[in-house]
Amino acid sequence: MFGSGAMTNSIPEIENHDIIFVIGSNTTETHPIIGLKMKKAVRRGAELIVADPRKIDLVRFSSVWLQQRPGTDVALLNSIMHVIVKEDLIDKKFIMERTEGFASFKESLLAYTPEEGERITGVSREDIIKAAFLYGNAVRPGIYYTMGITQHTHGTENVYAIANLALMTGNLGRESTGVNPLRGQNNVQGATDMGCIPDFYLGYQKVTMPGIRQKFEKAWGIHLSDTPGLTATEMTRAALEGKIKALYIMGENPVLSDPDMNHTIQALKKLDFLVVQDIFPTETAELADVILPAACFAEKDGTFTNTARMVQRVRKAVEPPGDAKEDSLIIVELAKRFGVDMTYDIIEDVFREAGNLWPALAGINYRRIAKNGLQWPCPTHDHPGTPYLFKGAFPRGKATFTAVQFRPSDELPDHEYPFLLSTGRHLFHYHTGSMTRRVDPINRVSPCAYIEIHPEDAQTLNVREGDAVRVSSRRGTIEIMVLVSGRPAKGVVFIPFHYREAAANVLTNTALDPISKIPELKACAVRIERVETSPK
Amino acid sequence: MVTLKIDGQKVTVRKLSTILDAVRKLDIPIPTLCHHPELSPFGGCRLCLVEINGSPKPVASCTTFARNGMDVTTTSPRLEKLRKTTLELILSDHPKDCMVCERAGDCKLQELAYFYGIRENRFGGEQRVYEKKDNNPFIARDMEKCILCGQCVRICDEIQGVGAIDFAYRGLRTKICPPFENDLNCEFCGQCVAVCPTGALTGKMWDQKGRQNFKEVDTVCPYCGCGCNITLHIWRNEVRRVSSKEETLNEGWLCAKGRFGYGFIHSPDRLKKPLIRTAPKDISAFPIHQTNPPLPPFTKGGRGGIHPSSFSLHPLSSFKEVSWDEAFDYIANRLKQIKENYGPDAIGGLSSARCTSEENYLFQKFFRAVIGTNNIDHCARY
Amino acid sequence: MDKDILIKVCTGTGGVASGSKEVLETFKGTISSAGIAASFSERCSAQRVGCRGFCAQDVLVDVIINGEKTTYKHVKPDMVGKIFTEHILNGTPVAEWIVDKDYHTFHQKQTKVVLSHCGEIDPEDIHAYRAVDGYKAAKMALTSMSSQEIVNIVKNSNLRGRGGAGFPTGLKWELGLRIASDIKYVICNGDEGDPGAFMDRSVMEGDPHAVIEGMIICAKATESHHGYIYVRAEYPLAVKRLQMAIEQCYEAGFLGKNTFGSGFDFDLKIFQGAGAFVCGEATALMRSIEGKRGMPTPKLWRSAEKGLWDRPTVLNNVETFANIPRIILRGADWFMRLGTERSGGTKVISLSGKVKNTGLIEVPLGVTLREIVYEIGGGIEGGKSFKALQTGGPSGGCIPEELLDTEVDYESLALAGSIMGSGGMVVLDETSCMVNTAKFFLEFTQSESCGKCTPCRIGTKRMLEILERITTGRGKEGDLELLEELGHYIRATSLCGLGMTAPNPVLSTLRYFRDEYEQHIRNKKCPAAVCRDLITYSILEAVCTGCGACKRVCPADAIRGVRKKPHRINTELCVKCGTCFDACKFKAITKV
């Protein structure tokens, strides 16, 4: 890849793309405002390529819709790239000056003819060629993806394939031109930036890299561990194996959000000690030994960093209820009990400390972002921030092509479990629903869980809209209401994971991408049966 | 570029700018009710009329291109008379219930009526009478207050790309409504509410929750990663409304969650005290259904996940409320004990993409520097 | 063998309504029936033709023997036998059924250009049209003329848009030609919405090929390859005949790819409107074709720059297009000289109201209104006196006696406070109340307002309410001034032509018949005795014979009286229905 996991462009640049390639992102529902910017671009003449197994709303605005079979993205992208090479739509100058490994990578595409692409993905060769021409000839194209790309056992390969596509056409490092993973949560970028990942300190500084640990030990005045930690999914497994004894969960709800709910619950039950710090008594909190009441976004000061690396001010508007405390105060208090002083006067001191340890934030302070945010990297106080990344160079010098081959998903439909289940969000609810399911009007428009089934499948299963079906995978069973819909392809079903009473993650597979450790939430095999009693 | 004269002042604007653009550039006040800079020109309210030297009739400045050498007058006794008549006509078919209207104080029509001093109206006559019957949970639609500016129709079509509403009927009974006058059934982004110049479209949850004298706090939306800028309207330590300003990265647009999904902040379910478990885990933990045991009756929305248990309403059945000191001591002792027995790497921390960056920094620092492990992650992968 | 006996039956909408289909069938049946020698039958041809204008006398039938034409009026199927035996077989026309003098004076003053084929040829037969030089002009235009040449001829002809506004057609085409675009459109506006107007309908029904030919020529002149004819769905016969004509043209190679073998492509489709008056407005019409609500859009761009689907579009009215083939064939000079200095050609007018001869007429621009009313129209019916001529449809105005020498053209009519509009003319006599007339027209425009702009949506409604007040005796001082102010306000501020012209009926009647308004307000009287709330019925005791006829018909039981003695009306009970007035044989009942 070519650097850190963030959007290379900024949100206002979206409207100036001439081609937008959305793959594995139901943007208008998961990132509605970015969706609006895409529609604006289309209104201004841009053409939209949508690659999604479901007929998402953006398809209405697209010039071409590639309905690939779930989990076949690598084959789709490789065959698009095959056409781009064949038609000589590559950017030779960019490849020569800024990349390496093109020659061997080019070889790897040979097998992925449009015909082969069609065979694997189900997308017609004409559409593959059309998409290749659209993207290959674009002047200011942007690629957008989310979990539809990453939540696969071959998610890293998917991302590599996207990177290859952008690199071979030189579509990086310019205004309104780039690769943009859309982050799903308000501050997932900030949490990652700040080092809440096991292998990096803040600013993507590797825990194992010589010199880095020493820098942090010096700054924090304490000896630090040199072993990389476990990822969340690995922690769950380690808990089940008895290797992790205690977990401290701040503001997360893995029971609903993680794959294979039964597995997660067993793991959490097995812990000696579980602390859950949250604003609501979540499903995870039910398994805790201690529950700590936290303040929500409106009750504290600080910053959120959006998916486009923009650091923006969060301001306290109201007091937290009861004895609830800001998370920062809780951590500082707890540290005191361990004899470590982490106190600060104002919360901006914490941000400043982070800026001292990561130059990309050094130029940002609360005064500068009082009205509008700034995008990192912003190394100095007179730096205007960086709307788009990789202008002129990549952080590692040259970017490398990584040849990737199509590999099927971990679990494919078979005789016993004939349907392919994909999970995700919809417009009205958010993530595990701990917030939105407590908002009355939202519950009124979106009260209950459903499974989207293609009309022909519904006919075969002899179910109608509103009927109940039993959905089972190798991991569990739920019963859920049917929504007959033209959105999924035949043989593919979709369940939003917001609903605890029919939790999609009872069914999902814990198989991980070996590199990113992201579970394969977008594809698992299920069986669907009609339930005789219809829901009241 | 085009250069023209407005009220004697020279101004240069880009080609294909309207006269109104040029007028706005000079910051000359000119009333409008149907104009929105992001939407296609409409020309419905007829308030922005101006005179162009040499043309006998006034023209709507919002729908006339500025041309080189134009000599434009934005105000004259004749124009003001025409504008006043327009306002009188609009008000002759508008409920006069500003005292209880949600928009009072934030209403463009009210503002113009005030500036034009329309105390009495020369026009009476028929007024539209509509039943308020839209049962959607978000948007209150009081079509008697609608002045047919069409901004809601255009924003829904042009910005949101949905087209949930349009004009129907003719003459005085022209009305904006969803197809067949059904209840509104759309994405409920509320963009239409944001641009409505009168009290025709308002948030249902705003009703009787206060109009003015809000404390406004600018912050960032707590939902997805777009990072939309929002403004919280606070009254007595309570978030009563959410809006967004036009000069933000999201241009004032929001989605249903961002605009209307703030109710959770003051939910009675909020955790208010530290809680320590009293009942053993196996008993209190909720049942997860395997395939074998018979399933309980099917409730709306399905089963097989976690049952709507009484936990969220009565967490105290298995927990007791404690003081912060008690909680901190308890946690510290247990963690120290585990660290002593199994080493720091037997402890893990899951941070939150919902918390601030500062909190995340402190959390990872706590785990790395205080606990002594790199077992720290968050849900970036889900 | 030559058909030297022609029977032409009018089958316009008016004719069909009077039973012309049956008449035509009966003629055909008679011709081929047993007992008629086959050799004779072969000389006869009974054919349908379009409307010739004098619909009041339908079914009109021409019998032409050896070029000698006899016209019968009010023909019914049972009259066919007699006409056939006496006239066609034996050569003696049936005198009592022949049209009278009126029919001829009606036609004498007319100059038929657009209507020249209506009533003469079979509109459903492309060969009939080709036989009268049809598609010659189009072929010429496509095979031997440049776009600019066509534009020049149209410019020189002084042809102006017949839809109402009178924009010079040649200029419009030139703009359309000058703007480059891969897609351009030609649209024919056949959304004739004025109540009582049927000019365009008659042309579309009676001579559909002329409209299509005009559009083909326009397509060539503006280099457009796509056309629409926008017809209201309420004109089923016009839609049917246009559809047939279009199909015939595709078959003949006059439409589609490589038209007339010239390499030029032109596709033409019919779009049926849903009958909103405002869709006759060009921008609203284009929105309607786009599938949107028919609402006028601001004219930031001219249609020739950005029209249908934001592409350059030339839009003309049916009559305008129908003129084009004639201009190409006979030259710009001929056409120009037909009209006045500023407007060439003729205008089709639907003449109705209180004149003797009503119907569809065509006059050269520049004839006076007086000629139309008194010569073509044959004067006022029933010996009453003329009061006003309402021109231009619901958006037009009323012209009084003293201005009857006004010439028919765009500028003169505007000067007189009215408009040419699409060409409707309604003659009003002394029994018409001008306030009520104004109210009638305003009611129409008000209810047809698209509701987009404030002046038209609310302003016309408020004007109407004031008029309602006045006609029901609740008018007050200041009302007229308010009406005038609102009228001028609406005219100055409305978004589209519908709104701008909506106050015309009120403003023009206020200008010429202000005293009638004042009578309504001050004396609570309607001088023409039309406004029901202001009428009083009474019985002239001197004339009343006491026959009791009035008493018997009174639905309100308001008339009392002893037989053979004068009766009386109890005004408290009287509902002013006027039944007694009509029932009295002795003119003993007055209405004031």
Side-chain angles (χ1 to χ4, degrees), chain B residues 129-364:
Chain B
V129 179
Y130 295 132
E131 203 185 328
K132 282 168 221 157
K133 58 172 186 182
D134 196 324
N135 284 318
N136 83 76
F138 294 100
I139 297 171
R141 298 174 57 244
D142 184 349
M143 289 299 107
E144 289 173 13
K145 290 181 182 166
C146 174
I147 58 165
L148 281 306
C149 73
Q151 290 191 66
C152 53
V153 174
R154 282 175 286 153
I155 208 153
C156 192
D157 177 33
E158 296 171 17
I159 301 289
Q160 198 67 19
V162 169
I165 43 175
D166 204 344
F167 290 81
Y169 306 105
R170 294 177 212 166
L172 190 74
R173 278 146 204 274
T174 309
K175 181 182 187 181
I176 289 164
C177 56
F180 311 110
E181 297 215 48
N182 287 336
D183 286 357
L184 197 57
N185 181 13
C186 61
E187 295 181 357
F188 297 112
C189 62
Q191 256 59 293
C192 54
V193 176
V195 294
C196 181
T198 72
L201 299 174
T202 53
K204 278 199 173 161
M205 60 264 280
W206 302 349
D207 190 34
Q208 293 175 47
K209 289 281 197 292
R211 303 180 285 197
Q212 295 157 52
N213 304 322
F214 283 130
K215 185 177 90 178
E216 292 187 9
V217 179
D218 291 337
T219 186
V220 180
C221 176
Y223 287 106
C224 78
C226 293
C228 296
N229 293 194
I230 57 174
T231 302
L232 304 178
H233 298 246
I234 311 301
W235 194 79
R236 289 192 165 223
N237 199 37
E238 207 180 293
V239 179
R240 291 259 165 127
R241 196 183 281 193
V242 170
S243 67
S244 180
K245 294 175 177 154
E246 274 175 36
E247 62 277 13
T248 53
L249 99 150
N250 45 301
E251 300 177 77
W253 317 137
L254 293 173
C255 71
K257 298 185 289 284
R259 195 182 299 279
F260 298 123
Y262 56 84
F264 74 91
I265 298 172
H266 305 294
S267 162
D269 293 355
R270 281 289 297 273
L271 292 167
K272 296 180 192 77
K273 294 258 182 207
L275 301 169
I276 290 182
R277 174 173 294 282
T278 50
K281 241 182 240 188
D282 310 42
I283 297 164
S284 71
F286 40 82
I288 295 293
H289 293 290
Q290 304 294 340
T291 34
N292 277 338
L295 292 159
F298 194 97
T299 53
K300 189 172 186 184
R303 58 180 170 170
I306 303 167
H307 276 278
S309 68
S310 57
F311 173 77
S312 61
L313 292 174
H314 307 286
L316 290 179
S317 56
S318 352
F319 290 81
K320 67 167 184 198
E321 288 183 353
V322 296
S323 71
W324 275 107
D325 273 336
E326 228 176 305
F328 284 139
D329 287 342
Y330 182 60
I331 296 169
N333 287 337
R334 292 294 304 272
L335 289 182
K336 279 178 191 162
Q337 212 181 342
I338 291 169
K339 187 174 166 181
E340 229 158 79
N341 293 343
Y342 305 100
D345 285 339
I347 301 172
L350 286 181
S351 182
S352 175
R354 327 309 312 284
C355 292
T356 63
S357 296
E358 290 77 0
E359 287 160 346
N360 274 292
Y361 175 82
L362 289 171
F363 194 76
Q364 59 94 30

Side-chain angles (χ1 to χ4, degrees), chain A residues 262-500:
Chain A
N262 292 330
H263 164 90
T264 312
I265 287 169
Q266 278 174 34
L268 294 181
K269 275 188 185 171
K270 198 142 186 235
L271 288 170
D272 283 359
F273 189 55
L274 173 62
V275 182
V276 172
Q277 176 174 320
D278 210 306
I279 62 172
F280 287 114
T282 61
E283 292 72 14
T284 306
E286 276 177 70
L287 298 167
D289 295 279
V290 183
I291 304 175
L292 299 177
C296 78
F297 84 105
E299 294 152 0
K300 56 194 174 194
D301 280 293
T303 60
F304 285 157
T305 304
N306 80 354
T307 182
R309 298 169 280 107
M310 184 173 276
V311 182
Q312 306 193 97
R313 273 286 270 127
V314 176
R315 290 186 179 84
K316 180 169 177 167
V318 290
E319 293 298 327
D323 290 350
K325 263 187 203 295
E326 295 175 31
D327 299 272
S328 51
L329 295 177
I330 299 173
I331 300 162
V332 169
E333 273 308 308
L334 200 56
K336 267 190 202 155
R337 298 295 200 276
F338 284 83
V340 178
D341 183 17
M342 282 170 60
T343 46
Y344 53 88
D345 289 336
I346 51 168
I347 195 76
E348 191 180 357
D349 293 347
V350 179
F351 188 83
R352 208 168 294 143
E353 183 178 323
N356 289 337
L357 290 163
W358 184 29
L361 288 186
I364 303 177
N365 59 39
Y366 283 12
R367 191 180 43 77
R368 287 195 71 192
I369 58 171
K371 202 164 153 47
N372 297 110
L374 279 170
Q375 283 170 288
W376 63 253
C378 178
T380 58
H381 284 290
D382 51 6
H383 190 283
T386 311
Y388 60 94
L389 297 177
F390 313 135
K391 185 180 180 179
F394 294 104
R396 300 178 189 160
K398 285 193 169 185
T400 316
F401 282 97
T402 314
V404 288
Q405 299 296 334
F406 167 70
R407 199 151 57 76
S409 300
D410 178 69
E411 188 180 76
L412 288 174
D414 52 23
H415 185 68
E416 200 183 349
Y417 295 99
F419 288 94
L420 191 71
L421 168 71
S422 190
T423 65
R425 293 181 189 164
H426 68 68
L427 177 64
F428 290 108
H429 280 301
Y430 185 76
H431 221 64
T432 67
S434 61
M435 285 149 71
T436 50
R437 296 208 75 198
R438 287 179 168 88
V439 178
D440 181 51
I442 289 183
N443 269 336
R444 280 179 56 202
V445 291
S446 214
C448 58
Y450 57 85
I451 178 168
E452 278 183 7
I453 299 180
H454 190 274
E456 284 180 38
D457 291 334
Q459 212 164 16
T460 320
L461 292 164
N462 191 24
V463 291
R464 279 180 309 182
E465 187 143 332
D467 284 355
V469 286
R470 183 175 297 127
V471 187
S472 320
S473 74
R474 291 188 171 82
R475 292 151 295 276
T477 295
I478 60 171
E479 289 185 13
I480 192 165
M481 197 182 77
V482 170
L483 182 81
V484 178
S485 157
R487 294 183 111 194
K490 221 176 140 233
V492 180
V493 293
F494 173 85
I495 304 178
F497 69 94
H498 313 294
Y499 300 89
R500 57 182 272 157

Side-chain angles (χ1 to χ4, degrees), chain A residues 75-143:
Chain A
L76 178 68
L77 290 162
N78 277 359
S79 59
I80 288 174
M81 290 189 271
H82 175 100
V83 177
I84 287 177
V85 170
K86 193 174 153 214
E87 301 293 338
D88 201 24
L89 301 172
I90 55 172
D91 185 338
K92 295 191 188 90
K93 187 162 176 273
F94 188 92
I95 293 172
M96 202 176 73
E97 289 172 2
R98 298 189 56 183
T99 70
E100 50 200 20
F102 182 68
S104 59
F105 159 71
K106 198 172 137 185
E107 294 297 307
S108 75
L109 297 175
L110 273 177
Y112 292 92
T113 59
E115 291 70 26
E116 179 67 1
E118 176 174 322
R119 192 186 63 79
I120 303 174
T121 65
V123 176
S124 77
R125 62 197 81 174
E126 290 81 15
D127 285 347
I128 290 173
I129 293 169
K130 187 174 177 191
F133 271 92
L134 282 174
Y135 186 81
N137 284 318
V139 183
R140 295 178 310 279
I143 306 178

Side-chain angles (χ1 to χ4, degrees), chain A residues 129-183:
Chain A
I129 293 169
K130 187 174 177 191
F133 271 92
L134 282 174
Y135 186 81
N137 284 318
V139 183
R140 295 178 310 279
I143 306 178
Y144 292 81
Y145 67 89
T146 43
M147 296 304 187
I149 281 297
T150 52
Q151 286 180 346
H152 287 285
T153 44
H154 45 263
T156 307
E157 281 118 303
N158 286 346
V159 174
Y160 280 139
I162 289 173
N164 292 339
L165 175 61
L167 287 174
M168 72 194 291
T169 49
N171 287 326
L172 270 169
R174 295 198 310 277
E175 196 170 337
S176 291
T177 308
V179 174
N180 299 294
L182 303 177
R183 314 297 305 256

